[in-house]
Amino acid sequence: MKFLKQKRPYSIKKFLYRYFLLLFLCTSAVLIFYCVVFMKSYSDQMSSNAAARIDYYSSSLETEMKKCTSFEQKLCYSDSSFQLLTIKNLKDTDKVILHYNVTEMLKRQVAPYECIFIFDQDRRVSTYAAGESFSADEKQYIYQLKDHLREYWLDENQTSYNKWIVFQDAHNSVLMKALKVRDVYVCTTIDLENFDLLTYNESEDNPVQFGFFNNTEILTNQISVTEAGMDLTNLAYPKNPFFSNYYIMTTPIEETDISMFCLVYSDYMGDFAKVSILVFVLAAFVTCIIIVYTFYSFHKILLYPLDQINAATKHLEQNDPASFLSDSHSNIIEYQNINNALSNLIEQKITLTNEKQAEAFEKDHARLQYYQMQTRSHFFINCLKSLYNMLESKEYEKMQRMIIAFSNHLRYIFHDNLKLVTLQSELAEVNDYYNIILLDRVSPFILNTQVDETLLPYRVPSLIIQTFLENTAKYNRESGSLLIFDIKIERAELNGKPVMQIMLSDNGTGYDQETLDRLNSSENDLFARKHVGISNLKRRIALIYKTDYQFAFYNKPAGGACGLLYLPLIEAPQL
């Protein structure tokens, strides 16, 4: 079996809000994506620049190291002058010539940042060639370095030949490699402190600092590392926050146990990134404002007819088309046409409502007249019977009082019962009716009245008290004991509103349970046979007050019926 899914109702406003939120989120996502891409591009650019520099410099250093290695091998194993120089017991003249030839070869080979030393244990052979970076220092430092290297390599336990290793003394930090031929040592050193390539292509606007480190210490350019707030750990495990003033990258040097670091000052890039992000945030803010304004404009344009229809429905309840037009004027022609059409619709609805209310009023009026006359027929017959008995008994004075009270009663009950009467008029009718009861009743009957005199000008439905008095007299006619009917009317408050509280009670037989259930029910019983007057009174009150009233019926603990009514306070019009 195929079940059709019923669509739930939804609001167009929520529908528009949902699409606005979707548009806003998509726009925000695009802007955030752009920001992330920009930051990633900035980071990649910094990484690429640093990588290009350090790759160039490290490869240049490795190339020089290979050249030095090649020269050492060529010198030691292919050069005849050096081979002869390693032989002992040479003549002094031959030794001088060979020594000169080797020295000149070293000078032609040595780079500005290199120094090549040749020495032996007996100091029979001792020469060197130093580049410009070494020559810039005092020669005593070169001799000291030579002595330190000689001591290092002449150590009997030394086995690190033909390897690039780091050597440091008080004035130099060098990368060196040595070969031994017979008893003669050839040691090539590269000055790590004054490696000329480190300043190659460097500008003031884009300063770059290079240096070397190993697992235990920073070998060169420690001052720059300290100024950047870094240490050996930062070099070993480099991290680059986005807005840092420095960008660091490291790379190991082949065939050595050292690494090179490249420290790029990124202030200019950071400032550019900050300005760019500020511009991005400003652009995002302006974009959001434009989106919100556009949504507001479309919201106003698309929902205006719906809002006006909604406002028109509220004015329909108030029956006030004039205020709708005054509150809904628009300079837009199409919108004003909608307002005029809605105003005409309100006027037509009001006209139809008034006609329907007038028709309903006539029906209610006729129904009330019927209810009222329905409860009077037996009373009229009883009054006529009483007058007949008085006439037979020649009780003319009593008969006169009966006729006067009866005529007042007739004049009171035959007025328009949809119109309210003052409480004072209702109490006067109660007194007239009480006199009729006294003239017709054998057993005693007492009427007690406690009324707040400030409530006398207020209006109530006609016969509202008289109906209960009549009901008490009717259903306690056979009682031979003293019958008392109490009237207590005072101000009260119900649901925060001032009301008139009317309590009507007697000491008679009271209501049976079936009657109590029927009277306390909110439904009107058209076919009631007992207490018809009270049932009809309830229907009249419902027609007059609609829902703005309350009632309760119960039996008093000591016996007797009690009715409690709460009616709104309606003052009589000023004449």
Side-chain angles (χ1 to χ4, degrees), residues 285-309:
F285 179 73
V286 173
T287 303
C288 292
I289 291 178
I290 293 175
I291 291 176
V292 171
Y293 177 76
T294 304
F295 171 77
Y296 172 77
S297 300
F298 276 93
H299 176 272
K300 187 175 181 181
I301 293 173
L302 297 177
L303 293 184
Y304 181 85
L306 298 179
D307 291 337
Q308 290 304 101
I309 293 174

Side-chain angles (χ1 to χ4, degrees), residues 290-466:
I290 293 175
I291 291 176
V292 171
Y293 177 76
T294 304
F295 171 77
Y296 172 77
S297 300
F298 276 93
H299 176 272
K300 187 175 181 181
I301 293 173
L302 297 177
L303 293 184
Y304 181 85
L306 298 179
D307 291 337
Q308 290 304 101
I309 293 174
N310 188 27
T313 56
K314 295 180 180 179
H315 284 82
L316 281 174
E317 299 175 357
Q318 302 173 359
N319 294 334
D320 189 8
S323 61
F324 172 76
L325 271 181
S326 62
D327 297 339
S328 305
H329 179 73
S330 176
N331 294 327
I332 301 177
I333 297 176
E334 290 79 5
Y335 288 169
Q336 190 58 33
N337 291 337
I338 293 175
N339 294 334
N340 293 333
L342 291 174
S343 178
N344 294 333
L345 179 63
I346 294 174
E347 291 180 353
Q348 293 177 8
K349 186 265 179 185
I350 292 174
T351 301
L352 294 175
T353 301
N354 291 337
E355 293 177 355
K356 184 176 180 180
Q357 288 179 350
E359 182 180 353
F361 179 83
E362 293 178 359
K363 292 181 179 180
D364 292 341
H365 186 271
R367 188 183 303 170
L368 285 174
Q369 295 292 349
Y370 168 75
Y371 290 156
Q372 185 168 330
M373 294 304 300
Q374 182 182 1
T375 60
R376 299 298 144 204
S377 57
H378 69 280
F379 174 73
F380 296 153
I381 295 173
N382 291 336
C383 287
L384 292 176
K385 287 182 179 180
S386 298
L387 288 173
Y388 179 78
N389 292 332
M390 293 177 189
L391 182 61
E392 280 191 340
S393 303
K394 297 182 180 181
E395 297 175 346
Y396 300 119
E397 183 178 354
K398 188 176 180 180
M399 185 177 179
Q400 288 177 349
R401 294 199 305 271
M402 180 75 165
I403 292 174
I404 292 173
F406 184 60
S407 62
N408 290 336
H409 175 68
L410 290 178
R411 182 170 58 250
Y412 185 80
I413 66 173
F414 281 115
H415 79 287
D416 190 348
N417 54 14
L418 274 181
K419 294 182 179 180
L420 301 178
V421 298
T422 62
L423 179 60
Q424 186 174 6
S425 300
E426 177 66 16
L427 292 174
E429 159 61 16
V430 169
N431 285 328
D432 289 335
Y433 193 81
Y434 174 66
N435 290 327
I436 294 174
I437 293 174
L438 289 180
L439 293 173
D440 189 47
R441 184 179 176 86
V442 177
S443 57
F445 191 173
I446 297 177
L447 176 64
N448 289 330
T449 304
Q450 298 180 29
V451 179
D452 184 352
E453 293 185 357
T454 60
L455 296 175
L456 293 178
Y458 287 89
R459 297 191 294 171
V460 296
S462 61
L463 303 176
I464 188 171
I465 302 175
Q466 185 271 341

